[in-house]
Amino acid sequence: MIRSIDFELRMRTKRSKTFCRYDSTANNEEFSTEKVGRDKREDSAIKSGYTSNKYHQKRPHFSKTHRRLPQCIIIGVRKGGTRALLEFLNIHPAVQKASDEVHFFDDDSKYEMGLEWYRRQMPYSFPEQVTIEKSPAYFVTESTPYRIHAMNSSVKLILIVRDPVTRLISDYAQLAENKAKKERRVASFEEVVLFPDGSVNTNYKPVRTSIYSLYYTRWIQHVDKYATLDENGSR
Ligand SMILES: Nc1ncnc2c1ncn2[C@@H]1O[C@H](COP(=O)(O)OS(=O)(=O)O)[C@@H](OP(=O)(O)O)[C@H]1O
């Protein structure tokens, strides 16, 4: 059991002589490594901030830790502050986050790889810790409520929402920035959000994402099935 935020565990592996420290305050890492015997690959990965699960799979870990399917999932909403929420939760020593968005339930090609693949994307954790991942696309993807329920009907789901118009502007701004980086034409906000007669274009995906009721009603159909999703938790 991890008892406090300052609690540290240290391990020296025989093979690489890597010195590992459990640091629950670390930003992007389940484990921070330091000192003796790090191989070059590890050094450059740490320097560049590279923290993909592919790399984690090769990193040393404590003998009593395992990768576990998440008991808690932040399902959205995109641009709702999901990253900040995940990082805040991860400060708690009993929480272990997946660093990357896994997109297991909303991406058919990933879903087809099965739960064992999904489990392997998760961080190592102690038995008492809660594994958590966030993929904001889950909230708006049709197949996701059923798929998550099929994995675990008592998984805890967190939905964080934001003023729908502010969220739309934030979503548009990110998409526009991505397009600009690729030197593609960026349509104005009015162009994509409004029809010439001034009505709102609800076919534009960022607009649709902000119509929370479209998706909420889909999730609510599963509320009875989710034993732990009570009235407050589902908001
Ligand atoms: N604490 C807090 N309160 C209010 N808003 C916050 C907070 N933390 C992050 N943010 C804002 O959330 C936006 C990023 O949301 P996400 O992390 O969900 O983005 S993403 O969907 O993963 O891309 C992003 O919004 P924009 O600034 O409009 O881009 C963040 O500024």
Short mmCIF file of all heavy atoms in Angstrom, two decimals, residues 14-39:
data_model
loop_
_atom_site.label_atom_id
_atom_site.label_comp_id
_atom_site.label_asym_id
_atom_site.label_seq_id
_atom_site.Cartn_x
_atom_site.Cartn_y
_atom_site.Cartn_z
N LYS A 14 19.35 -6.31 -11.55
CA LYS A 14 20.64 -6.96 -11.75
C LYS A 14 21.17 -6.70 -13.16
O LYS A 14 22.33 -6.46 -13.38
CB LYS A 14 20.48 -8.47 -11.57
CG LYS A 14 20.55 -8.88 -10.12
CD LYS A 14 20.51 -10.38 -10.01
CE LYS A 14 20.28 -10.77 -8.56
NZ LYS A 14 19.84 -12.14 -8.44
N ARG A 15 20.25 -6.72 -14.12
CA ARG A 15 20.70 -6.68 -15.50
C ARG A 15 21.22 -5.30 -15.89
O ARG A 15 22.35 -5.15 -16.31
CB ARG A 15 19.55 -7.09 -16.41
CG ARG A 15 19.97 -7.52 -17.78
CD ARG A 15 18.88 -8.36 -18.40
NE ARG A 15 17.63 -7.63 -18.46
CZ ARG A 15 17.26 -6.87 -19.48
NH1 ARG A 15 18.05 -6.74 -20.52
NH2 ARG A 15 16.11 -6.26 -19.47
N SER A 16 20.42 -4.28 -15.71
CA SER A 16 20.83 -2.96 -16.16
C SER A 16 21.38 -2.09 -15.03
O SER A 16 21.91 -1.02 -15.27
CB SER A 16 19.64 -2.23 -16.77
OG SER A 16 18.72 -1.93 -15.75
N LYS A 17 21.26 -2.57 -13.81
CA LYS A 17 21.66 -1.80 -12.63
C LYS A 17 20.96 -0.45 -12.61
O LYS A 17 21.49 0.55 -12.14
CB LYS A 17 23.18 -1.61 -12.59
CG LYS A 17 23.92 -2.91 -12.36
CD LYS A 17 25.38 -2.66 -12.20
CE LYS A 17 26.10 -3.98 -11.97
NZ LYS A 17 27.53 -3.87 -12.18
N THR A 18 19.80 -0.40 -13.18
CA THR A 18 19.05 0.87 -13.18
C THR A 18 18.44 1.11 -11.81
O THR A 18 17.92 0.21 -11.19
CB THR A 18 17.92 0.82 -14.23
OG1 THR A 18 18.52 0.60 -15.48
CG2 THR A 18 17.14 2.10 -14.23
N PHE A 19 18.53 2.34 -11.41
CA PHE A 19 18.00 2.72 -10.12
C PHE A 19 16.64 3.35 -10.34
O PHE A 19 16.51 4.30 -11.10
CB PHE A 19 18.96 3.73 -9.50
CG PHE A 19 18.55 4.25 -8.17
CD1 PHE A 19 18.64 3.42 -7.06
CD2 PHE A 19 18.08 5.53 -8.03
CE1 PHE A 19 18.28 3.89 -5.82
CE2 PHE A 19 17.71 6.00 -6.78
CZ PHE A 19 17.82 5.18 -5.68
N CYS A 20 15.62 2.78 -9.75
CA CYS A 20 14.26 3.26 -10.01
C CYS A 20 13.64 3.83 -8.76
O CYS A 20 13.82 3.31 -7.68
CB CYS A 20 13.36 2.12 -10.47
SG CYS A 20 13.81 1.54 -12.07
N ARG A 21 12.88 4.87 -9.00
CA ARG A 21 12.20 5.49 -7.88
C ARG A 21 10.74 5.65 -8.24
O ARG A 21 10.42 6.13 -9.32
CB ARG A 21 12.81 6.85 -7.59
CG ARG A 21 12.00 7.69 -6.62
CD ARG A 21 12.55 9.08 -6.55
NE ARG A 21 13.86 9.12 -5.94
CZ ARG A 21 14.63 10.21 -5.94
NH1 ARG A 21 14.22 11.30 -6.54
NH2 ARG A 21 15.80 10.19 -5.35
N TYR A 22 9.89 5.24 -7.33
CA TYR A 22 8.48 5.53 -7.54
C TYR A 22 8.25 6.96 -7.10
O TYR A 22 8.56 7.33 -5.98
CB TYR A 22 7.59 4.59 -6.72
CG TYR A 22 6.14 4.99 -6.80
CD1 TYR A 22 5.38 4.65 -7.90
CD2 TYR A 22 5.57 5.77 -5.81
CE1 TYR A 22 4.07 5.06 -8.01
CE2 TYR A 22 4.26 6.18 -5.91
CZ TYR A 22 3.52 5.82 -7.01
OH TYR A 22 2.22 6.24 -7.11
N ASP A 23 7.74 7.78 -7.99
CA ASP A 23 7.54 9.19 -7.67
C ASP A 23 6.15 9.57 -8.16
O ASP A 23 5.95 9.81 -9.33
CB ASP A 23 8.61 10.02 -8.36
CG ASP A 23 8.41 11.51 -8.10
OD1 ASP A 23 7.45 11.85 -7.40
OD2 ASP A 23 9.22 12.29 -8.61
N SER A 24 5.22 9.63 -7.24
CA SER A 24 3.84 9.88 -7.65
C SER A 24 3.61 11.30 -8.11
O SER A 24 2.56 11.62 -8.63
CB SER A 24 2.89 9.57 -6.49
OG SER A 24 3.23 10.38 -5.40
N THR A 25 4.60 12.18 -7.92
CA THR A 25 4.41 13.55 -8.37
C THR A 25 5.00 13.77 -9.77
O THR A 25 4.87 14.83 -10.33
CB THR A 25 5.07 14.56 -7.42
OG1 THR A 25 6.46 14.30 -7.39
CG2 THR A 25 4.49 14.46 -6.02
N ALA A 26 5.67 12.73 -10.28
CA ALA A 26 6.27 12.90 -11.60
C ALA A 26 5.18 13.15 -12.64
O ALA A 26 4.11 12.57 -12.58
CB ALA A 26 7.06 11.65 -11.98
N ASN A 27 5.47 14.03 -13.61
CA ASN A 27 4.44 14.44 -14.55
C ASN A 27 4.02 13.37 -15.53
O ASN A 27 2.85 13.07 -15.69
CB ASN A 27 4.91 15.66 -15.34
CG ASN A 27 4.77 16.92 -14.53
OD1 ASN A 27 3.97 16.95 -13.60
ND2 ASN A 27 5.54 17.92 -14.84
N ASN A 28 4.97 12.79 -16.22
CA ASN A 28 4.61 11.92 -17.32
C ASN A 28 5.01 10.47 -17.12
O ASN A 28 4.80 9.65 -17.98
CB ASN A 28 5.29 12.41 -18.60
CG ASN A 28 4.79 13.78 -18.96
OD1 ASN A 28 3.59 14.02 -18.95
ND2 ASN A 28 5.71 14.68 -19.24
N GLU A 29 5.62 10.17 -16.00
CA GLU A 29 6.19 8.86 -15.84
C GLU A 29 5.54 8.13 -14.68
O GLU A 29 5.29 8.72 -13.65
CB GLU A 29 7.68 8.99 -15.54
CG GLU A 29 8.44 9.79 -16.55
CD GLU A 29 8.94 8.91 -17.67
OE1 GLU A 29 9.89 8.19 -17.47
OE2 GLU A 29 8.34 8.94 -18.74
N GLU A 30 5.33 6.86 -14.84
CA GLU A 30 4.94 6.07 -13.68
C GLU A 30 6.15 5.88 -12.76
O GLU A 30 6.05 5.82 -11.57
CB GLU A 30 4.42 4.71 -14.10
CG GLU A 30 3.06 4.74 -14.73
CD GLU A 30 3.15 5.17 -16.16
OE1 GLU A 30 4.17 4.91 -16.80
OE2 GLU A 30 2.20 5.79 -16.64
N PHE A 31 7.31 5.76 -13.39
CA PHE A 31 8.54 5.62 -12.64
C PHE A 31 9.55 6.60 -13.20
O PHE A 31 9.66 6.74 -14.40
CB PHE A 31 9.12 4.21 -12.78
CG PHE A 31 8.17 3.15 -12.33
CD1 PHE A 31 7.38 2.48 -13.24
CD2 PHE A 31 8.05 2.86 -10.99
CE1 PHE A 31 6.50 1.53 -12.82
CE2 PHE A 31 7.17 1.90 -10.56
CZ PHE A 31 6.38 1.23 -11.48
N SER A 32 10.26 7.27 -12.34
CA SER A 32 11.38 8.04 -12.86
C SER A 32 12.64 7.24 -12.57
O SER A 32 12.75 6.57 -11.55
CB SER A 32 11.44 9.41 -12.21
OG SER A 32 11.57 9.29 -10.83
N THR A 33 13.58 7.28 -13.49
CA THR A 33 14.80 6.51 -13.30
C THR A 33 15.97 7.45 -13.20
O THR A 33 15.96 8.53 -13.76
CB THR A 33 15.03 5.55 -14.47
OG1 THR A 33 15.01 6.32 -15.66
CG2 THR A 33 13.98 4.47 -14.52
N GLU A 34 16.96 7.04 -12.48
CA GLU A 34 18.13 7.88 -12.38
C GLU A 34 19.33 7.03 -12.04
O GLU A 34 19.24 5.85 -11.75
CB GLU A 34 17.93 8.96 -11.32
CG GLU A 34 17.69 8.39 -9.94
CD GLU A 34 17.46 9.47 -8.92
OE1 GLU A 34 17.46 10.65 -9.27
OE2 GLU A 34 17.31 9.14 -7.76
N LYS A 35 20.49 7.68 -12.08
CA LYS A 35 21.74 7.09 -11.65
C LYS A 35 22.22 5.95 -12.52
O LYS A 35 21.97 5.90 -13.70
CB LYS A 35 21.61 6.66 -10.19
CG LYS A 35 22.89 6.83 -9.40
CD LYS A 35 22.62 6.42 -7.96
CE LYS A 35 23.89 6.13 -7.23
NZ LYS A 35 23.60 5.64 -5.89
N VAL A 36 22.86 4.99 -11.88
CA VAL A 36 23.77 4.07 -12.55
C VAL A 36 23.16 3.22 -13.67
O VAL A 36 22.03 2.79 -13.61
CB VAL A 36 24.38 3.10 -11.52
CG1 VAL A 36 25.32 3.84 -10.62
CG2 VAL A 36 23.28 2.42 -10.74
N GLY A 37 24.00 2.99 -14.67
CA GLY A 37 23.76 1.91 -15.61
C GLY A 37 22.62 2.11 -16.60
O GLY A 37 22.21 1.14 -17.22
N ARG A 38 22.13 3.32 -16.77
CA ARG A 38 21.07 3.48 -17.76
C ARG A 38 21.67 3.28 -19.13
O ARG A 38 22.75 3.79 -19.42
CB ARG A 38 20.47 4.88 -17.67
CG ARG A 38 19.58 5.08 -16.49
CD ARG A 38 18.75 6.33 -16.69
NE ARG A 38 19.53 7.47 -17.08
CZ ARG A 38 19.50 8.62 -16.42
NH1 ARG A 38 18.75 8.76 -15.37
NH2 ARG A 38 20.22 9.63 -16.82
N ASP A 39 20.92 2.55 -19.98
CA ASP A 39 21.47 2.42 -21.31
C ASP A 39 21.20 3.70 -22.10
O ASP A 39 20.41 4.55 -21.70
CB ASP A 39 20.95 1.16 -22.03
CG ASP A 39 19.45 1.19 -22.18
OD1 ASP A 39 18.89 2.28 -22.35
OD2 ASP A 39 18.84 0.12 -22.13
#
